[in-house]
Amino acid sequence: MASLPSRALTCHSRAVCSTVVLPHVAYSTLSQPRFLYRPLEDVERLEYYQPGGYHPVDIGDRFHGRYRIVHKLGHGTFSTIWLARDERLSKYVAIKVCTADASRREIGILSHLNDPAHGKAGRREEALTPTILDRFDVQGPNGTHLCCATAPARCSLADAKEASICRLFQLDVARSLAAQLALAVAHIHERGVVHGDLHLGNILLQLPAGLDSLSAEQLYEKYGAPEPEPVVRRDGNPLPPGVPSHGVPPVWLGDRCERIRLCDAKLVLADFGVAFRPSSEQRYKSHTPLELRPPEARFEPSTPLSFPSDIWSLGCTIWSLLAHRSLFDVLLATEDDVTAQQIDVLGPLPDEWWDKWEARSKYFAENATPVEGRCVWSWERRFEQWIQEPRRDKGMATLDEKEREAFAAMVRWMLQFRPGDRPSAKEVLQTEWMRTWALPEVVVKEVPPRLISETAAYK
Ligand SMILES: Nc1ncnc2c1ncn2[C@@H]1O[C@H](COP(=O)(O)OP(=O)(O)OP(=O)(O)O)[C@@H](O)[C@H]1O
């Protein structure tokens, strides 16, 4: 059986964090004890099985007259995701079973992205974002749950890193993933959509062909059968209705990041749960994790977020594809610590932000030099110690001088403090690093045909 990486110490899926409050769920978790049940590792918070919350699903359940649940794929704050056999088409699908009170925003955004009325998208272009294969509602003890079927994926890029000790993708793979991600972002921006939560946990690796030919038994043999664990109340009372008798840890279809080969490195940009269209909705709060959160969300809270906020997160995500750790370190860090790191790496804040930043004297003297004794990690130091050195240590390829300069120029442009100074996603695709090093790693036939002709025109 393939080994499953423990996600217990990470928080890509916000539901695993005990301190999280569900932002757009209509019920409150405050009126009840924090932990009603014994927590199960790699299983969603069981307290969210309550009216308005998750729907209890069992292995073997049949949905919509055709989807037989064979395993669990994962969970998020607003859904559990299951591997199901589509008995009509004899293939596997991922069924996302949303919480009863989850907004239906994601399905609306995905339908908009896939709608031919908004411009003809190539087959490959569509492959960079999820295609809704089916949608239906399920009634259960906790309410009515929107379910949608999409292609199952192997794992998220965050999971592929967490499963690894060195936490590095091969250089050609990292370049290819960076290019595909920029293509995906260019595609959604062109359709007027801001993703709003770009990070490695929301980028999935596509499954190589071949899974569909396996029966459920063969799949269990190869990847391991489900191992449901009993749900137990801490006070010893029986389980209330709407709570499953067992929790199911997810199957591991993925691989350690360093073992992923270029030919298998095909991504899909997922989780459009907080995506929005700036033309029809104003959004002020960023849902992106702190290490990739655009600084305007902090310093210009009354200006609506827009496409450049994705570009900031895209720049940070591309860094994380090449490095073994994120550009801005958030371990035990506050928002102020992160702002200080951003200045250490990128240079001074815009004057009006600097004046607004109350905690600045903790990190900088009035002449903007770091306070005495504070350890400053510049871009160069982070690049050397978090990208080049670990790659050298593992016998992996490193970036030569020219690539290094082109990479820095691109990422630093994406990380301009003022949103208006950042490139558009299309301009990112035209940068020297993308054209010379990243796009050529994407197998030509896999690139959206229209975007190929556009990027070819830039050469
Ligand atoms: N199509 C899929 N194939 C395989 N695994 C998937 C698929 N979709 C989602 N997952 C897994 O489930 C996890 C949660 O999915 P997703 O982020 O879409 O849920 P969510 O409820 O919208 O989460 P949140 O809003 O908390 O990020 C993913 O990180 C991934 O591990």
Side-chain angles (χ1 to χ4, degrees):
M1 173 184 162
S3 67
L4 182 75
S6 170
R7 296 174 199 153
L9 294 175
T10 60
C11 198
H12 294 290
S13 199
R14 284 186 290 270
V16 301
C17 303
S18 60
T19 51
V20 158
V21 175
L22 301 179
H24 59 254
V25 172
Y27 61 85
S28 161
T29 54
L30 299 178
S31 58
Q32 53 182 281
R34 259 172 108 85
F35 285 102
L36 283 173
Y37 309 96
R38 279 200 213 132
L40 298 175
E41 196 177 350
D42 285 330
V43 170
E44 60 279 5
R45 272 291 302 270
L46 298 161
E47 287 71 14
Y48 296 154
Y49 281 97
Q50 61 164 293
Y54 294 131
H55 176 65
V57 176
D58 273 334
I59 302 298
D61 282 358
R62 194 150 183 260
F63 281 69
H64 207 43
R66 66 189 278 189
Y67 303 113
R68 178 81 61 195
I69 301 295
V70 298
H71 218 312
K72 171 94 158 285
L73 286 168
H75 69 272
T77 316
F78 307 111
S79 61
T80 53
I81 296 99
W82 300 83
L83 183 66
R85 185 78 177 165
D86 178 349
E87 293 177 337
R88 202 172 296 169
L89 297 180
S90 297
K91 57 182 225 169
Y92 288 100
V93 292
I95 303 282
K96 184 166 185 167
V97 184
C98 297
T99 52
D101 286 350
S103 112
R104 298 194 168 217
R105 156 191 306 280
E106 180 169 27
I107 197 142
I109 292 274
L110 289 176
S111 308
H112 171 82
L113 285 175
N114 294 328
D115 186 348
H118 301 294
K120 196 165 157 33
R123 197 165 54 84
R124 299 296 171 188
E125 191 164 10
E126 281 171 357
L128 295 170
T129 53
T131 301
I132 305 285
L133 305 171
D134 198 0
R135 58 176 288 180
F136 49 92
D137 281 342
V138 162
Q139 309 287 341
N142 294 327
T144 303
H145 305 261
L146 172 66
C147 300
C148 51
T150 57
R154 286 185 88 180
C155 63
S156 73
L157 299 186
D159 286 339
K161 277 186 104 165
E162 276 157 29
S164 149
I165 293 174
C166 75
R167 302 174 63 84
L168 287 167
F169 292 99
Q170 299 296 338
L171 187 55
D172 56 354
V173 169
R175 290 177 183 139
S176 169
L177 293 172
Q180 292 174 64
L181 183 59
L183 286 161
V185 173
H187 166 54
I188 66 166
H189 284 191
E190 190 178 77
R191 291 284 167 97
V193 171
V194 174
H195 185 277
D197 196 12
L198 285 177
H199 58 80
L200 295 181
N202 282 338
I203 305 166
L204 305 180
L205 260 190
Q206 292 181 27
L207 264 176
L211 194 78
D212 289 340
S213 62
L214 301 180
S215 66
E217 290 65 34
Q218 289 167 324
L219 183 122
Y220 293 160
E221 217 163 277
K222 190 161 178 194
Y223 296 104
E227 292 177 4
E229 293 173 42
V231 174
V232 179
R233 267 185 82 122
R234 293 165 86 89
D235 61 9
N237 285 329
L239 298 178
V243 178
S245 60
H246 289 79
V248 183
V251 62
W252 176 240
L253 303 174
D255 207 346
R256 298 201 296 268
C257 53
E258 69 274 19
R259 290 167 43 128
I260 292 164
R261 297 169 310 163
L262 185 61
C263 58
D264 295 328
K266 291 172 197 154
L267 64 75
V268 61
L269 175 58
D271 193 359
F272 285 75
V274 295
F276 63 104
R277 293 161 64 191
S279 62
S280 57
E281 184 191 347
Q282 302 209 317
R283 180 75 67 77
Y284 299 90
K285 187 175 168 357
S286 171
H287 295 271
T288 316
L290 184 56
E291 68 264 40
L292 313 99
R293 192 175 303 157
E296 61 271 25
R298 171 168 207 207
F299 288 104
E300 292 183 5
S302 55
T303 306
L305 297 170
S306 192
F307 303 101
S309 60
D310 268 355
I311 299 295
W312 177 281
S313 308
L314 176 64
C316 296
T317 306
I318 289 178
W319 167 282
S320 296
L321 287 170
L322 274 89
H324 75 163
R325 56 192 291 179
S326 59
L327 178 56
F328 305 116
D329 194 358
V330 288
L331 193 67
L332 303 177
T334 62
E335 263 196 314
D336 289 320
D337 296 335
V338 173
T339 298
Q341 287 185 53
Q342 290 170 347
I343 297 170
D344 293 344
V345 171
L346 304 169
L349 280 183
D351 287 347
E352 63 281 17
W353 293 8
W354 175 257
D355 292 341
K356 240 193 252 187
W357 185 29
E358 285 172 7
R360 64 179 188 265
S361 60
K362 189 176 156 198
Y363 306 90
F364 296 95
E366 261 320 296
N367 64 2
T369 54
V371 290
E372 229 181 277
R374 191 168 72 78
C375 183
V376 171
W377 280 64
S378 63
W379 167 277
E380 288 72 21
R381 190 171 175 193
R382 287 170 202 241
F383 183 86
E384 194 48 43
Q385 298 204 9
W386 297 351
I387 295 183
Q388 299 287 70
E389 256 185 44
R391 290 188 168 279
R392 242 177 256 124
D393 288 350
K394 297 286 168 225
M396 289 179 168
T398 54
L399 288 75
D400 66 20
E401 200 51 39
K402 276 197 145 169
E403 180 174 6
R404 178 187 176 130
E405 275 170 26
F407 178 74
M410 179 190 75
V411 176
R412 295 180 71 115
W413 189 16
M414 297 164 82
L415 300 183
Q416 290 293 306
F417 282 119
R418 290 184 200 281
D421 292 341
R422 292 175 210 150
S424 67
K426 270 195 172 174
E427 285 172 322
V428 171
L429 288 169
Q430 298 170 46
T431 56
E432 191 191 356
W433 187 74
M434 278 290 166
R435 282 187 292 114
T436 311
W437 285 277
L439 284 163
E441 300 286 14
V442 184
V443 183
V444 171
K445 66 178 191 313
E446 299 299 340
V447 178
R450 193 180 43 72
L451 286 167
I452 284 186
S453 57
E454 281 174 5
T455 48
Y458 304 142
K459 292 195 178 177

